[in-house]
Amino acid sequence: MIGYREATDIRVKSAGDAPDRTRLSIKVDRVRHEYISQNGERVVALDDVSIDVPNGQFVAIVGPSGCGKTSILNMLAGLIVPTRGAVSIDGEIVTGTSRAVGYMFARDGMLPWRTAQANVAFGLEVRGASKAERLAQADALLERVGLKGFERAFRSQLSHGMRQRVALARTMAIDPKVFLLDEPFGALDAQTRIVLQEEFVRLWENTGKTVLLVTHDISEAVAMADRVIVLSPRPGRIKSDIAIDLPRPRDIESVRFDEKFARLARRIWRDIGVRGGGDIA
Ligand SMILES: Nc1ncnc2c1ncn2[C@@H]1O[C@H](COP(=O)(O)OP(=O)(O)OP(=O)(O)O)[C@@H](O)[C@H]1O
Ligand SMILES: [Mg+2]
């Protein structure tokens, strides 16, 4: 973790501007989505889901497995088209993949034939920066995610947590309008997970960008987000939409011991209904 706090003056392009929260960044508008399963049956994954996310807001989506969380992100990334309804980014209906989104998954997408530095520089190539600029920015971003000294390392030489850091730096390098994160810390051990949550929030606080985080970890959702949306079991519908009014900047590690944190987490557990919808509070 050493390094990224010291390097706070290094910012990706257009970062640091206060987000205009009166503008809508993401709109999921009355979306229904159906898949056809292998045996030809129709699976309704999402039904009548609407979500408005103002510019710069950090939203977490939680809900039981199979309720359509990844489907929502895939729609916003332009990978699937909703059966009914529409999704928009910055007022434009999403019709295909674009540089507007930075998508990060549980399994890192680090390119094995490129060094850490070249992986991050790849994100910058998409932006058309010069080679010298790309390498300098890649190194700065790697330093910010605590990987100074590992610029020339390949995937096989890095731990899973380090690979996720590379993926994080590359996603930052793309400088997207919105971050779509699908359980990005899910496959990490508990300690590394908290360290990376902390790092992401620090980096994000500097950029003021919109984030949609899908997670199964309720503590992660409450610790990181401004707002948590709970989906019902499939077909996913909005069950609740909870404002997380914990102060920023947030200390991801110690906020977990806050009384308000416990209340919010308990409320979300209850809404998810892990015991077949029963109250656990
Ligand atoms: N390509 C597909 N073909 C058929 N059914 C699919 C397909 N993709 C997803 N589904 C179904 O749609 C539903 C929603 O899937 P989705 O991956 O969005 O859920 P999820 O909430 O992300 O689940 P998890 O928490 O397990 O990742 C699931 O029941 C799944 O089986
Ligand atoms: Mg999923």
Side-chain angles (χ1 to χ4, degrees):
M1 221 165 65
I2 301 156
Y4 81 95
R5 280 181 201 280
E6 288 85 337
T8 46
D9 54 323
I10 301 158
R11 288 171 172 170
V12 289
K13 194 185 101 204
S14 81
D17 309 324
D20 176 3
R21 292 198 184 246
T22 59
R23 273 185 34 230
L24 213 54
S25 174
I26 291 174
K27 189 171 183 69
V28 175
D29 191 14
R30 290 164 291 172
V31 159
R32 176 182 171 91
H33 196 67
E34 296 169 4
Y35 291 101
I36 305 296
S37 70
Q38 276 177 340
N39 56 13
E41 278 173 34
R42 213 163 46 118
V43 177
V44 183
L46 291 163
D47 190 26
D48 197 26
V49 170
S50 293
I51 305 169
D52 281 356
V53 183
N55 209 21
Q57 194 173 56
F58 192 137
V59 177
I61 299 181
V62 298
S65 183
C67 73
K69 302 180 295 296
T70 297
S71 301
I72 294 174
L73 297 193
N74 283 343
M75 281 168 198
L76 287 162
L79 301 174
I80 59 171
V81 180
T83 312
R84 215 184 287 163
V87 300
S88 325
I89 292 177
D90 275 356
E92 283 187 29
I93 291 187
V94 175
T95 53
T97 56
S98 86
R99 270 191 44 209
V101 302
Y103 205 166
M104 191 177 154
F105 318 90
R107 293 278 156 207
D108 68 278
M110 193 174 165
L111 306 170
W113 59 89
R114 284 180 167 229
T115 60
Q117 184 194 48
N119 262 270
V120 180
F122 181 73
L124 297 156
E125 275 166 36
V126 191
R127 279 166 46 184
S130 77
K131 188 167 183 196
E133 196 186 329
R134 287 200 302 267
L135 296 181
Q137 284 221 35
D139 285 353
L141 277 161
L142 284 168
E143 183 173 354
R144 289 201 64 181
V145 297
L147 286 179
K148 191 171 169 55
F150 291 92
E151 294 84 358
R152 308 223 165 268
F154 286 93
R155 187 177 188 279
S156 58
Q157 297 165 311
L158 298 171
S159 70
H160 185 60
M162 292 162 112
R163 293 176 194 171
Q164 282 304 82
R165 288 178 177 175
V166 174
L168 184 56
R170 197 190 48 231
T171 313
M172 291 281 171
I174 295 167
D175 193 30
K177 288 181 178 165
V178 302
F179 286 106
L180 303 178
L181 310 176
D182 198 354
E183 304 183 52
F185 315 115
L188 302 171
D189 67 88
Q191 268 167 305
T192 310
R193 186 184 305 181
I194 291 181
V195 170
L196 279 193
Q197 288 166 354
E198 177 95 39
E199 287 180 358
F200 183 83
V201 165
R202 286 292 152 263
L203 288 166
W204 166 75
E205 279 168 352
N206 271 341
T207 66
K209 294 192 187 247
T210 311
V211 182
L212 214 50
L213 165 75
V214 162
T215 179
H216 279 108
D217 181 341
I218 291 168
S219 297
E220 176 172 293
V222 178
M224 295 180 80
D226 296 317
R227 176 182 168 199
V228 176
I229 292 174
V230 181
L231 292 183
S232 69
R234 199 185 73 210
R237 296 189 178 94
I238 307 282
K239 182 148 186 198
S240 53
D241 189 337
I242 299 151
I244 306 298
D245 50 349
L246 297 165
R248 299 238 186 237
R250 245 182 243 174
D251 183 328
I252 297 299
E253 207 176 339
S254 63
V255 76
R256 288 157 203 265
F257 305 106
D258 192 296
E259 254 179 55
K260 199 185 254 178
F261 180 97
R263 265 204 311 278
L264 289 162
R266 207 178 304 130
R267 156 95 200 271
I268 294 164
W269 274 109
R270 201 180 51 212
D271 286 352
I272 291 182
V274 276
R275 292 183 187 164
D279 270 3
I280 59 161

